[in-house]
C-alpha cells in the first residue's frame, strides 16, 4: 500500500535513495527539503552565487561519476543557468531545481518572474515544468534517467512557487521508487555491432600509421586501461585532448602529447601524419581538431561514441562504432592483431622529444618574475600520485595541459569554456573526493570571478589548494587587443592589466591559509605545506606577464 507523504519528504527520500550526499545551493530554494537533508546527513553547501553553486555541482558530478544537485529560488534561475551551460558543454550530469511563481502570477508582470524554461531549453536534456506534487514520482526519476544515459548532460525542473514551497507542501500518494542503474554513469555499457567491429579491426590491422585520440568520453567511461592495452597490442600512437589527460602515462613511449588548439605541436603533427585516426569519446569539435584541420578532411577514421549522432558527423570517411568507450575498446583489443610499428612510433617519438626539448628551456628557467612553464614544472614534481588537478579555461588550460606531466591514478579536469569555473568547481570535486588532494590551477583573471567562495570553502571545511598563476592581467586577450590597438599601444595596458592585488590578505580575511610565492624553488615546499595546513589554501604565485603559450602546430 502506498504511503501518503508531503512533497518535501518525497523529494528528500528520492534524492537520498539515489545516493545524493551533497547539495549545492543559494537560499531560499527548497528550505523544507533542505531541513530533511540535514536530518538525513546530506551535506548542504550554500554558495555565494547561483553560478558558483552550479559549478560546484558540476565539479562534484565530474569527480564522483554521479548526478549532482544544485538549486536556486526564482530570481536566481538565470544565474544558475550560466553554470548549467558549462555542465552542458562538459557532458556533466547536473540536476538543477529552480522555483517559479504559481500559475495565477504568470503573464502579469510579477516581481522577479520570467519564463525559466526558455533559459534552460538549449542547455539541458530534460527541461520539466512541475506545477503539482503529483508529478514528482515521474519527473524525479526522469531527471536521473536523462542525466546519466547516452551522453550525460544536465537536466532542469522548474518548481511551482518562487521557492518551490507549493511542491514541498503538496502531497504524494506513490511510494518512493529508486532505479539503481541511474545512480551513476554510464548506467549501461553497450557494445558495438560485430560487423562494424570487424570493419574497424581490418582498418587498424592494415594501417601503417594509426593514432588513437582519447577524449572526455573515454575519461567518463573509465576506459584508459583498455585503450592503453589496445595501443600496446597494436603498437599504436596515443594522443589525448585536454579532457583525456592523465588516462595515459605521459612518460610512456606511446604517448604523443595533447592534441588540438589547446595542445602540443607534436600531437597535432602526429595526427596529421597518421593514415588512420581512432577517435574515442571525443565529439571531434573545433578545439580538438584545430577547426577540423587535424586530421585533414578525408583521413580514414574510426569513431567510438555513446551518441550515434556523433559518428562521422565531422569526419565522414568514418567507421562508426556506437557504444560505450570501455566496452568497445575491449572488443577491439580482443580482435586486433599484435603488431610492431617501430618506424611509425620512432617518427612519433622524434616529434615528441623535439617538443619536450623546446619546452625545457622555459620549464627550467630561473628568470623572475617566473615563467608559467616553470610553475607547471614545479607543480608536476609536487603532485601527489592520487592528486586531482582542476584547471580553468583559456591559458590556464593550455599551460596545465601542455606543461604538466601526469599519469593514471591522478585526474585532470578542466573548464569546458567558462572562465572562473575552476575554483568553485574544485570545491565540488573535493566534496566528492574527500581523501584525495585537490589542486586548482587558475589565473588571477579567472579567480576574480568567484573569490568570495573562499568563505564557502572555509565555512564548510573544504580544504582544496588553489594555485593562482598571477600575472596581473587577462593575458589571453593580449594578442587580439594588440591588433585592435596597433596604432595606440599606450592604450593597451588599461584594457587587460590588473593592479597588484594581494590575494593572500583577502584569503586570510576569509579564514584560509595563504602564501605569496615569487621564486620557483619555493613552490614544492609551499604546495606540501598547503596540502597539510588543515584549511583551504591559496598560493599567490607571481609570474611573467609577457609569457605566451607554446605554439600548438
Amino acid at each position: 500500500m502506498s504511503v501518503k507523504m508531503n512533497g518535501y519528504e518525497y523529494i528528500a527520500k528520492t534524492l537520498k535513495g539515489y545516493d545524493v550526499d551533497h547539495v549545492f545551493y543559494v537560499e531560499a530554494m527548497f528550505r523544507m527539503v533542505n531541513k530533511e537533508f540535514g536530518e538525513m546527513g546530506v551535506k548542504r553547501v550554500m554558495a555565494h552565487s547561483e553560478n558558483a553553486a552550479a559549478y560546484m555541482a558540476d565539479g562534484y558530478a565530474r569527480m564522483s561519476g554521479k548526478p549532482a544537485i544544485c538549486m536556486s529560488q526564482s530570481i536566481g534561475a538565470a544565474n544558475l543557468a550560466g553554470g548549467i551551460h558549462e555542465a552542458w558543454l562538459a557532458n556533466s550530469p547536473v540536476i538543477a531545481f529552480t522555483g517559479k511563481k504559481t500559475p495565477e502570477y504568470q503573464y502579469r508582470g510579477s516581481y522577479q518572474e520570467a519564463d525559466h524554461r526558455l533559459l534552460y531549453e538549449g542547455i539541458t536534456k530534460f527541461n520539466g515544468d512541475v506545477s503539482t506534487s503529483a508529478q514528482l514520482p515521474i519527473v524525479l526519476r526522469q531527471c536521473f534517467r536523462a542525466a546519466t544515459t547516452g551522453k550525460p548532460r544536465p537536466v532542469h525542473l522548474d518548481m511551482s512557487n518562487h521557492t518551490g514551497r507549493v511542491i514541498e507542501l503538496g502531497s504524494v500518494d506513490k511510494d518512493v521508487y529508486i532505479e539503481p542503474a541511474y545512480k551513476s554513469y554510464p548506467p549501461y555499457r553497450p557494445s558495438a555491432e560485430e560487423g562494424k567491429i570487424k570493419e574497424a579491426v581490418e582498418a587498424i590491422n592494415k594501417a601503417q600509421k594509426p593514432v588513437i585520440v582519447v577524449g572526455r568520453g573515454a575519461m567518463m567511461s573509465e576506459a584508459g586501461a583498455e585503450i592503453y592495452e589496445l595501443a600496446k597490442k597494436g603498437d599504436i600512437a596515443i594522443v589525448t585532448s585536454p579532457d583525456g589527460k592523465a588516462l595515459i602515462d605521459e612518460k610512456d613511449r606511446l604517448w604523443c602529447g595533447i592534441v588540438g588548439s589547446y595542445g602540443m605541436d607534436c600531437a597535432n603533427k602526429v595526427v596529421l601524419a597518421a593514415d588512420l585516426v581512432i577517435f574515442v569519446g571525443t565529439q571531434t569539435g573545433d578545439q580538438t581538431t584545430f577547426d577540423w584541420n587535424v586530421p585533414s578532411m578525408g583521413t580514414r577514421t574510426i569513431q567510438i561514441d555513446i551518441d550515434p549522432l556523433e559518428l562521422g558527423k565531422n569526419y565522414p570517411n568514418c567507421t562508426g562504432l556506437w557504444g560505450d568507450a570501455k566496452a568497445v575498446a575491449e572488443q577491439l583489443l580482443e580482435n586486433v592483431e599484435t603488431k610492431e610499428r617501430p618506424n611509425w612510433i620512432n617518427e612519433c617519438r622524434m616529434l615528441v622529444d623535439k617538443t619536450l626539448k623546446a619546452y625545457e628551456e622555459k620549464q627550467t628557467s630561473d628568470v623572475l618574475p617566473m615563467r608559467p612553464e616553470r610553475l607547471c614544472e614545479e607543480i608536476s614534481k609536487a603532485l601527489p600520485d592520487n592528486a586531482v588537478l582542476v584547471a580553468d579555461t583559456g591559458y590556464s588550460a593550455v599551460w596545465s595541459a601542455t606543461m604538466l606531466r601526469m599519469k593514471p591514478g591522478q585526474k585532470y579536469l578542466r573548464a569546458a569554456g567558462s572562465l572562473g569555473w575552476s575554483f568553485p568547481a574544485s570545491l565540488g570535486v573535493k566534496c566528492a573526493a574527500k581523501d584525495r588532494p585537490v589542486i586548482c590551477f587558475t589565473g588571477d583573471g579567472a579567480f576574480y570571478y568567484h573569490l568570495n567562495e573562499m568563505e564557502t570553502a572555509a565555512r564548510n571545511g573544504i580544504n582544496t589548494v588553489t594555485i593562482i598563476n598571477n600575472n596581473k592581467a587577462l593575458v589571453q586577450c593580449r594578442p587580439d587587443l594588440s591588433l585592435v590597438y596597433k596604432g595606440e599601444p599606450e592604450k593597451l595596458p588599461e584594457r587587460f592589466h590588473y593592479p597588484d592585488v594581494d590575494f593572500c590578505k583577502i584569503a586570510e580575511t576569509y579564514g584560509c591559509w595563504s602564501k605569496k610565492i615569487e621564486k620557483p624553488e619555493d613552490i614544492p615546499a609551499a604546495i606540501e605545506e598547503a596540502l597539510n595546513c588543515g584549511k583551504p589554501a591559496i598560493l599567490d604565485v607571481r609570474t611573467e606577464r609577457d609569457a605566451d603559450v607554446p605554439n600548438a602546430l
Side-chain angles (χ1 to χ4, degrees):
M1 179 181 293
S2 297
V3 177
K4 194 171 184 177
M5 65 184 82
N6 289 317
Y8 68 87
E9 296 175 288
Y10 194 91
I11 293 167
K13 288 180 178 179
T14 299
L15 297 186
K16 182 66 173 177
Y18 277 97
D19 294 341
V20 170
D21 54 17
H22 283 73
V23 60
F24 306 92
Y25 73 105
V26 173
E27 280 286 350
M29 184 64 185
F30 273 169
R31 281 173 167 159
M32 298 179 79
V33 173
N34 247 345
K35 182 175 182 292
E36 289 290 300
F37 280 157
E39 294 172 2
M40 292 175 169
V42 174
K43 177 73 173 178
R44 297 156 295 172
V45 179
M46 185 177 68
H48 288 283
S49 76
E50 295 85 0
N51 190 244
Y55 288 165
M56 291 176 194
D58 181 16
Y60 182 95
R62 295 198 212 182
M63 186 66 217
S64 68
K66 303 189 301 183
I69 308 298
C70 62
M71 56 192 190
S72 78
Q73 65 165 309
S74 177
I75 189 57
N79 288 337
L80 196 73
I84 295 302
H85 185 208
E86 169 70 21
W88 172 262
L89 297 173
N91 308 124
S92 183
V94 175
I95 299 174
F97 297 127
T98 58
K100 64 168 186 174
K101 288 286 183 74
T102 52
E104 64 268 25
Y105 283 84
Q106 302 295 331
Y107 317 117
R108 301 179 67 181
S110 298
Y111 179 57
Q112 297 185 342
E113 187 56 29
D115 190 342
H116 302 152
R117 292 190 74 251
L118 294 177
L119 296 173
Y120 289 85
E121 189 62 30
I123 54 172
T124 55
K125 275 176 73 179
F126 172 58
N127 186 19
D129 191 343
V130 183
S131 299
T132 171
S133 303
Q135 295 173 260
L136 290 174
I138 297 298
V139 296
L140 290 179
R141 287 191 294 115
Q142 182 63 12
C143 282
F144 286 89
R145 187 182 299 109
T148 59
T149 54
K151 186 188 295 182
R153 271 188 156 159
V155 301
H156 168 243
L157 291 182
D158 209 16
M159 301 283 192
S160 193
N161 183 263
H162 68 288
T163 66
R165 185 59 54 83
V166 167
I167 304 303
E168 288 184 308
L169 289 177
S171 62
V172 183
D173 61 1
K174 298 279 195 304
D175 291 331
V176 170
Y177 185 76
I178 306 300
E179 298 173 286
Y182 307 115
K183 289 183 177 182
S184 61
Y185 62 89
Y188 307 108
R189 292 189 179 274
S191 298
E193 295 177 23
E194 287 301 324
K196 289 293 186 180
I197 288 291
K198 183 178 179 181
E199 182 181 333
V201 166
E202 288 176 357
I204 294 170
N205 291 340
K206 289 178 182 178
Q208 295 182 343
K209 297 182 174 184
V211 62
I212 300 173
V213 178
V214 181
R216 182 189 298 122
M219 182 269 291
M220 298 175 76
S221 178
E222 299 182 333
E226 290 75 15
I227 292 168
Y228 178 67
E229 290 303 318
L230 171 63
K232 192 164 64 169
K233 183 177 181 182
D235 215 18
I236 303 169
I238 307 174
V239 301
T240 79
S241 71
D243 296 300
K245 187 177 175 69
L247 282 181
I248 306 299
D249 189 335
E250 295 183 333
K251 293 183 179 179
D252 192 273
R253 62 180 285 275
L254 295 177
W255 176 82
C256 297
I258 307 299
V259 74
S261 55
Y262 274 19
M264 304 164 69
D265 61 339
C266 56
N268 289 314
K269 288 174 181 175
V270 166
V271 174
L272 278 173
D275 61 0
L276 177 67
V277 179
I278 306 165
F279 291 108
V280 186
T282 167
Q283 297 171 161
T284 62
D286 57 336
Q287 190 178 83
T288 300
T289 63
F290 234 120
D291 296 329
W292 304 286
N293 292 307
V294 179
S296 56
M297 202 58 64
T299 301
R300 183 82 169 86
T301 65
I302 295 168
Q303 188 170 359
I304 302 170
D305 206 284
I306 194 67
D307 183 354
L309 293 178
E310 296 294 338
L311 302 176
K313 180 170 70 176
N314 291 317
Y315 285 90
N317 187 16
C318 173
T319 297
L321 300 178
W322 178 23
D324 171 72
K326 186 183 185 79
V328 177
E330 288 175 344
Q331 287 179 283
L332 293 176
L333 173 61
E334 184 178 346
N335 288 281
V336 296
E337 295 176 359
T338 300
K339 286 264 189 179
E340 291 187 3
R341 294 179 168 96
N343 293 338
W344 169 231
I345 299 303
N346 287 339
E347 179 182 343
C348 295
R349 290 312 310 170
M350 288 177 64
L351 291 169
V352 174
D353 291 345
K354 183 178 180 181
T355 294
L356 295 181
K357 185 68 177 176
Y359 290 173
E360 193 175 310
E361 179 183 353
K362 292 171 182 175
Q363 287 176 317
T364 58
S365 172
D366 291 323
V367 68
L368 296 177
M370 78 180 79
R371 295 281 309 189
E373 297 95 336
R374 178 67 189 273
L375 167 58
C376 290
E377 176 68 10
E378 297 301 328
I379 294 172
S380 279
K381 295 175 185 176
L383 270 185
D385 288 345
N386 64 337
V388 185
L389 191 129
V390 184
D392 221 281
T393 192
Y395 276 13
S396 292
V398 181
W399 291 123
S400 57
T402 60
M403 296 295 158
L404 284 164
R405 299 281 73 81
M406 297 183 71
K407 60 187 177 182
Q410 297 172 331
K411 196 174 184 73
Y412 178 86
L413 298 168
R414 62 111 183 196
S418 303
L419 191 65
W421 171 85
S422 62
F423 178 54
S426 71
L427 305 186
V429 169
K430 183 64 176 177
C431 288
K434 297 180 181 66
D435 298 327
R436 295 181 66 171
V438 176
I439 296 175
C440 171
F441 182 81
T442 183
D444 50 321
F447 190 65
Y448 275 119
Y449 273 73
H450 298 292
L451 57 78
N452 283 341
E453 302 306 334
M454 286 190 285
E455 189 280 329
T456 303
R459 172 167 36 91
N460 288 281
I462 306 173
N463 298 338
T464 58
V465 175
T466 300
I467 299 173
I468 305 171
N469 177 29
N470 188 357
N471 47 31
K472 294 178 286 187
L474 283 169
V475 177
Q476 191 175 18
C477 299
R478 179 177 55 215
D480 192 58
L481 283 172
S482 297
L483 295 175
V484 173
Y485 289 91
K486 189 173 183 180
E488 304 171 286
E490 72 281 358
K491 295 183 179 180
L492 184 59
E494 67 185 63
R495 300 272 64 84
F496 73 98
H497 285 191
Y498 291 125
D500 188 359
V501 171
D502 190 339
F503 288 113
C504 293
K505 290 182 179 179
I506 303 172
E508 289 163 7
T509 298
Y510 280 132
C512 299
W513 181 92
S514 65
K515 179 170 282 189
K516 183 187 293 185
I517 301 173
E518 296 178 312
K519 297 178 181 179
E521 59 266 26
D522 295 337
I523 293 171
I527 291 176
E528 183 176 1
E529 192 175 357
L531 288 169
N532 294 311
C533 72
K535 292 183 176 182
I538 307 295
L539 300 180
D540 183 353
V541 184
R542 301 309 177 99
T543 59
E544 183 183 334
R545 179 181 282 160
D546 294 331
D548 273 319
V549 295
N551 290 329
L553 192 59

